[in-house]
């Protein structure tokens, strides 16, 4: 069994074990401190035999560690297995040297995503388009400025001039995702609709990208070496 499949199956067992309200309450009880089964029964007002059943299920799922009391060896204390709940998170994307956000015209969504990423993450970012426009959309420049970010209004670029083999490519529009069928291929796809030509629509797009980036940043593990050299193209956007 490969490591990825094992990780998924282990997470599924933990999710199943936490699917019962009483078991979730036991885990909540143990989140900040240890307790004996009897103490758990009293705290949650549950019969001791039912607590024993739930503890067995949680133990088999790898969520608990049992220890003997140093004061009374007949007493058992329960604590959460270190890292067990953290393992519920999706696996990290490892060895990422740079993230490149791609949309069709490189005039709004990909530019905002790269600017947001640069503000929040240590991994370098760039943006590009499959059919780059001559300039960045003025409303994208303005919404970025309102949030303390800077975008070069003339800094659009084609994917062929920006993307390296080692980049994590994120398509932030459906057209780009569907257009990149060979060569440059997005590893991730965010189906972010094209904003209407209003400030409110650009603010909504900015908010959606910010939410998605907030979820992706902690899932990346930076590469050990330096990022690839930037593409040599006038006006290319790399931050």
């Amino acid at each position: 069994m490969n490591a990825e499949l094992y990780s998924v199956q282990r997470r599924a067992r933990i999710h199943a074990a936490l699917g019962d309200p009483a078991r979730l309450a036991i885990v909540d009880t143990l989140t900040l401190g240890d307790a004996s089964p009897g103490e758990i029964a009293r705290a949650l007002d549950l019969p001791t035999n039912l607590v024993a059943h739930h503890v067995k299920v949680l133990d088999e799922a790898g969520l608990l560690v049992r220890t003997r009391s140093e004061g009374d060896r007949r007493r058992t204390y329960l604590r959460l297995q270190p890292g067990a709940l953290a393992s519920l998170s999706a696996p990290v994307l490892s060895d990422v040297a740079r993230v490149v956000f791609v949309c069709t015209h490189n005039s709004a969504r990909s530019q905002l995503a790269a600017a947001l990423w640069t503000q929040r993450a240590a991994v370098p970012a760039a943006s590009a388009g499959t059919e780059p426009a001559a300039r960045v959309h003025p409303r994208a420049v303005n919404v970025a400025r309102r949030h303390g970010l800077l975008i070069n209004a003339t800094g659009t670029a084609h994917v062929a001039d920006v993307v390296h083999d080692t980049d994590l490519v994120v398509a932030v529009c459906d057209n780009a995702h569907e257009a990149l069928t060979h060569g440059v291929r997005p590893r991730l796809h965010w189906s972010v609709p094209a904003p209407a030509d209003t400030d409110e629509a650009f603010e909504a797009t900015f908010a959606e990208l910010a939410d998605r980036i907030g979820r992706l940043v902690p899932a990346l593990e930076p590469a050990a070496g330096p990022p690839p050299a930037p593409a040599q193209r006038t006006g290319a956007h790399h931050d």
Side-chain angles (χ1 to χ4, degrees):
M1 181 186 300
N2 63 48
E4 184 175 352
L5 180 57
Y6 173 78
S7 174
V8 170
Q9 291 181 343
R10 181 167 183 264
R11 287 161 54 208
R13 286 198 302 271
I14 294 174
H15 277 292
L18 296 176
D20 182 279
R23 291 197 285 273
L24 185 57
I26 291 172
V27 169
D28 287 344
T29 301
L30 297 173
T31 297
L32 299 180
D34 305 340
S36 69
E39 289 169 337
I40 291 173
R42 290 191 294 273
L44 300 180
D45 194 23
L46 292 172
T48 55
N49 62 332
L50 188 56
V51 169
H53 165 70
H54 290 315
V55 165
K56 182 175 183 291
V57 173
L58 293 170
D59 189 19
E60 291 174 346
L63 281 163
L64 301 181
V65 175
R66 300 170 184 262
T67 60
R68 290 288 183 183
S69 167
E70 291 182 349
D72 183 347
R73 302 297 293 176
R74 296 170 299 178
R75 186 185 299 272
T76 298
Y77 287 110
L78 305 172
R79 65 180 174 90
L80 289 182
Q81 178 73 263
L85 295 181
S87 70
L88 293 178
S89 302
V92 299
L93 300 175
S94 61
D95 201 30
V96 176
R98 190 175 66 156
V99 180
V100 179
F101 296 97
V102 178
C103 64
T104 303
H105 301 304
N106 191 211
S107 63
R109 287 164 286 185
S110 58
Q111 294 277 352
L112 291 171
L116 273 161
W117 183 272
T118 300
Q119 182 190 57
R120 298 184 178 194
V123 176
S127 70
T130 55
E131 301 172 16
R135 297 179 63 84
V136 179
H137 196 294
R139 292 192 190 277
V141 175
N142 290 339
V143 73
R145 185 180 297 119
R146 286 196 293 272
H147 290 274
L149 304 175
L150 293 177
I151 290 179
N152 178 5
T154 61
T156 60
H158 193 277
V159 289
D161 298 322
V162 174
V163 176
H164 300 276
D165 291 341
T166 57
D167 291 333
L168 171 65
V169 178
V170 182
V172 294
C173 81
D174 295 342
N175 286 331
H177 176 67
E178 293 160 10
L180 297 171
T181 56
H182 54 81
V184 176
R185 188 76 185 105
R187 186 170 177 185
L188 297 176
H189 171 214
W190 295 349
S191 186
V192 181
D197 196 11
T198 66
D199 287 344
E200 293 77 11
F202 272 78
E203 284 287 352
T205 296
F206 183 92
E208 179 172 353
L209 289 168
D211 175 70
R212 289 177 179 268
I213 286 170
R215 284 180 274 152
L216 180 58
V217 168
L220 288 196
E221 183 178 278
Q232 299 299 311
R233 184 179 190 272
T234 303
H237 176 76
H238 295 288
D239 41 44

